[in-house]
Structure formats: structure tokens, C-alpha cells
Amino acid sequence: NTHAFQNAIFYLRSFADKGGAQLYVPAGRWLTGSFNLTSHLTLFLDKHAIILASEDPIWWPVINPLPSYGRGRELPGGRHISLIHGEYLTDVIITGDNGTIDGQGAVWWNKYLNRTLDYTRGHLVELINSKDVVISNVTFLNSPFWNIHPVYCSN
């Protein structure tokens, strides 16, 4: 489902100048790797929708560390991108009828505890340098690292 999420968001970008768009996640279990949000987007999870993170690190690409850290939080060098990621966004809403975003973090925590990580673990949601962000009515479970990481964000 990773490509489905990526393609849907790519398509919904075309509505940014028309007031934005909503990506509705219906009931079901939606296994996915990391995907990037876009501005003027509402990600809405149905009550029985579960966005289920892939346990395979290949679906969590490695990105540069945050400038304020200068390195990964756990290891020197890069870090895995968050499951749901966004940079320089405006007007982003992650909401629903208490649907779930499940990071299936046990595999990551085991690597951390066994000291076998290659890079710092990813978050469930990370928004960087973004503004006008709302996160509500969603359940976050089993994060590989932090659940929600809004960094350099406002409002």
C-alpha cells in the first residue's frame, strides 16, 4: 500500500490551490512504508482503519539528521524517516474517528535493546518546519521511537 498512499498524496497536491483535499483511509488494515504528506491536506482515518507500518527497514529510508542534533539521536550519521513525514507544510490535519496508526515498533525496539541498529529509529509522525498543523482523534500505537515529533513547527 506504500505506493497507493504515495500516489494518492501526489494526486491530491493538485488541489492545494483549490482549498485542499482529504485523503480518506477506510476501514481495514493498510500495511505501508513511509510516505510524505503535502500542504492543504487532511488525512482522515475511519474508526476501523489501521495504518500499519512495515517492519522492513527498507520502507523507512535513511535521511539526514536534524540540524539541531547534528547526528542521529541514537547513533552517528543519518536516521530513518518517520512513517508519516512532512517538511515545509502548511494547513495539515491528521484526524479521524479514532482510527489507528500502528508503528509495529517491536522490531525496532529489539534492535535498539540488542544494539543492532544501523541508524536512529524513525517516528510515527514527524513534521518539520511546518505551520497550521492539527492532530486529533487518532490513536497512535507501538512507535519505533517517538509517536509525534513536530520540530521547528508553529501553530
Side-chain angles (χ1 to χ4, degrees):
N1 298 307
T2 304
H3 296 296
F5 277 105
Q6 292 170 340
N7 289 339
I9 291 169
F10 180 79
Y11 171 72
L12 293 174
R13 281 185 188 145
S14 66
F15 295 96
D17 62 347
K18 298 169 185 69
Q22 176 176 284
L23 176 55
Y24 176 78
V25 181
R29 296 170 59 87
W30 306 97
L31 181 66
T32 184
S34 177
F35 60 91
N36 289 302
L37 299 179
T38 191
S39 290
H40 310 292
L41 176 74
T42 297
L43 177 63
F44 188 97
L45 281 74
D46 180 272
K47 180 178 182 178
H48 300 289
I50 300 172
I51 295 177
L52 196 61
S54 172
E55 295 177 301
D56 187 343
I58 198 164
W59 291 104
W60 299 69
V62 175
I63 60 174
N64 290 328
L66 291 169
S68 57
Y69 299 157
R71 55 165 275 163
R73 291 284 295 168
E74 299 167 315
L75 296 167
R79 62 197 178 100
H80 287 280
I81 197 168
S82 60
L83 177 65
I84 300 173
H85 191 80
E87 295 188 46
Y88 299 100
L89 302 180
T90 300
D91 182 30
V92 172
I93 300 169
I94 300 172
T95 193
D97 289 328
N98 284 323
T100 301
I101 299 172
D102 185 340
Q104 299 199 100
V107 67
W108 296 95
W109 283 98
N110 287 336
K111 287 179 181 223
Y112 172 75
L113 294 171
N114 294 322
R115 300 179 190 267
T116 58
L117 286 171
D118 293 327
Y119 300 96
T120 294
R121 298 168 287 161
H123 313 292
L124 280 184
V125 174
E126 183 176 57
L127 300 173
I128 303 170
N129 291 307
S130 298
K131 64 182 182 175
D132 302 327
V133 174
V134 175
I135 300 175
S136 66
N137 300 322
V138 177
T139 300
F140 295 91
L141 298 174
N142 306 314
S143 181
F145 199 27
W146 299 334
N147 280 303
I148 304 169
H149 191 217
V151 61
Y152 319 132
C153 291
S154 63
N155 197 21

